Amino acid sequence: MHYRELGTSGIEVSEVGFGAWVVGTDWWGDRSDEDSIEMLHHAIEQGIDFFDTGDVYGHGHSEEVVGEALADYRDEVTVATKIGYDFYNNPQAGHGELPKEITGEWVREATEKSLERLDMEYIDLLQLHNANVDEVTPDVLEALDELKEEGLIEATGWALGPSIGWLAEGDMAIEEEFDALQIVWNAFEQDVGNHFLDTIRETGSPTSLIARVPHSSGLLNEQVRPETELGSGDHRGFRPDEWYETGWEKLEALRFLERDGERTMAQASIAYLLGYDETAAVTPTFRTKDDIDEWAKASDVPKLTDEELTRVEELYADNFGIDRFDGMDALRSSVDGEDIRAAGLDKRVAKGARNEA
């Protein structure tokens, strides 16, 4: 396992991190707390030291499980969490977005509650969760600075979702030199990552990128196939049918990334993101110990050559040779769509889902 610095924070994280949204929730399948803790410990054994959770995951339960699992390893790991949703006063309705609360006062209150659930004295990386650009006021920035000065947090980040708002938000995070910007980014979804690579390079900002969903919800690790039926509670079922139908075709175009005995497609999908110096870590969605065993090794497999990296970018620019709508643009929508149009993307409404009836 190799390690990279988050911005200029001095904090090093494993190139492959553990996205703890699978812990304490049922959005990616049911598992007991004991199973979750066992997985977290197994990840540590494989060299993973970066664990990313959020206060809204399981309404605080993910933080509790992560805190319990990492208690004996606190000095050896980097713990990240996210704040910004008011789940305290609002019940979760399916997979819908909860009301947000992002003020200077809330940042402090939510951070203190996260610390209690994690049972830790400080949080390595505190991220604003899907905050819209107009919500991150000077009061919010001041509150984050105060938390750092008091030693309650070590670094700051901004985590963006695929359908809430991302362009102006990520640009602001980079311009304000947040230590980390977390985004959905993979070989099938390059627009967001490419935009922020440009912003970082143009501004000279030290902000690091954290890439999640590197396997495009199960396509690039081949865990979702044409015959797969996703259960009604599976979060991936809310992607449009067109996404999966064209995704299987795109996958074949990327087979050149596999190297027999040296690099699987799942590992290559992570290595692609690590091919950019601006990327600090990639956080795949581990569902089993076997996932951890294979994907943690992506830090050590042969890196993509410049030619391979260029070919992935060229395939994406040509939509992998596919001339029909694949549902991707609908998942890159924002609150009002203006930032999407400014980015030259097409905002359409996704139709269909792969959930069982």
Side-chain angles (χ1 to χ4, degrees):
M1 181 66 70
H2 298 277
Y3 303 83
R4 301 187 183 187
E5 185 179 4
L6 279 177
T8 54
S9 67
I11 298 172
E12 288 196 339
V13 296
S14 52
E15 289 186 337
V16 180
F18 191 115
W21 42 84
V22 301
V23 173
T25 74
D26 61 1
W27 285 22
W28 290 85
D30 290 322
R31 60 182 50 78
S32 68
D33 290 351
E34 291 75 16
D35 290 338
S36 293
I37 290 172
E38 191 173 338
M39 283 184 63
L40 289 161
H41 288 169
H42 189 70
I44 292 174
E45 293 170 1
Q46 306 311 309
I48 293 174
D49 73 355
F50 178 47
F51 298 87
D52 176 37
T53 185
D55 65 357
V56 75
Y57 301 150
H59 284 200
H61 189 55
S62 178
E63 290 181 326
E64 293 172 347
V65 175
V66 168
E68 180 180 351
L70 302 183
D72 292 336
Y73 303 90
R74 185 63 188 99
D75 295 336
E76 305 168 30
V77 297
T78 298
V79 178
T81 195
K82 311 176 191 71
I83 60 170
Y85 283 107
D86 181 11
F87 61 89
Y88 300 97
N89 301 303
N90 299 279
Q92 185 74 48
H95 293 178
E97 186 186 16
L98 291 172
K100 281 182 288 185
E101 182 72 31
I102 300 175
T103 63
E105 182 179 357
W106 184 267
V107 165
R108 175 170 291 278
E109 182 179 348
T111 300
E112 291 174 349
K113 289 180 177 177
S114 287
L115 285 167
E116 290 177 8
R117 285 188 293 267
L118 289 164
D119 194 20
M120 295 178 179
E121 295 182 356
Y122 66 95
I123 294 165
D124 296 282
L125 174 65
L126 181 71
Q127 303 162 95
L128 300 179
H129 201 173
N130 289 331
N132 294 116
V133 67
D134 59 348
E135 295 170 328
V136 184
T137 63
D139 285 345
V140 169
L141 296 175
E142 183 179 354
L144 292 172
D145 287 341
E146 290 175 353
L147 290 171
K148 288 181 72 171
E149 290 171 2
E150 295 169 23
L152 296 180
I153 66 174
E154 296 290 327
T156 58
W158 199 327
L160 301 178
S163 60
I164 297 169
W166 61 268
L167 195 148
E169 287 73 14
D171 282 347
M172 180 178 176
I174 292 168
E175 291 161 4
E176 292 288 342
E177 298 191 353
F178 277 63
D179 296 292
L181 175 62
Q182 182 177 154
I183 58 175
V184 173
W185 185 17
N186 56 65
F188 289 168
E189 303 168 83
Q190 296 182 31
D191 284 303
V192 178
N194 291 342
H195 176 84
F196 294 135
L197 286 172
D198 288 342
T199 303
I200 289 172
R201 292 166 183 174
E202 290 169 3
T203 61
S205 171
T207 301
S208 293
L209 298 177
I210 297 172
R212 73 176 187 276
V213 199
H215 294 133
S216 190
S217 298
L219 289 173
L220 285 163
N221 56 21
E222 302 182 77
Q223 291 185 350
V224 175
R225 299 176 178 274
E227 65 274 13
T228 302
E229 290 187 359
L230 299 173
S232 59
D234 194 313
H235 187 57
R236 295 170 298 173
F238 290 87
R239 298 237 177 182
D241 290 336
E242 296 92 341
W243 179 280
Y244 293 97
E245 291 164 1
T246 57
W248 297 314
E249 298 177 41
K250 295 175 183 179
L251 180 65
E252 293 305 315
L254 292 174
R255 289 292 182 193
F256 70 91
L257 293 176
E258 294 178 307
R259 294 191 185 180
D260 187 30
E262 290 188 314
R263 191 169 68 192
T264 66
M265 180 60 73
Q267 292 169 337
S269 300
I270 296 172
Y272 154 68
L273 298 165
L274 292 173
Y276 297 98
D277 292 338
E278 293 83 357
T279 304
V282 180
T283 55
T285 302
F286 298 119
R287 304 182 73 189
T288 67
K289 288 183 180 179
D290 288 341
D291 290 343
I292 296 172
D293 289 339
E294 179 184 353
W295 303 344
K297 294 176 183 175
S299 177
D300 296 305
V301 300
K303 303 301 182 186
L304 268 65
T305 65
D306 291 342
E307 292 77 13
E308 288 174 324
L309 194 62
T310 298
R311 188 174 175 188
V312 174
E313 294 170 347
E314 290 175 346
L315 281 168
Y316 181 78
D318 188 44
N319 197 32
F320 297 84
I322 298 171
D323 61 0
R324 66 184 188 281
F325 177 56
D326 64 2
M328 182 179 294
D329 296 341
L331 297 175
R332 284 288 168 262
S333 60
S334 64
V335 174
D336 56 16
E338 290 183 3
D339 57 355
I340 299 301
R341 288 190 290 275
L345 303 180
D346 181 17
K347 183 178 179 181
R348 282 179 268 190
V349 177
K351 295 181 180 179
R354 292 190 53 77
N355 290 88
E356 292 176 341

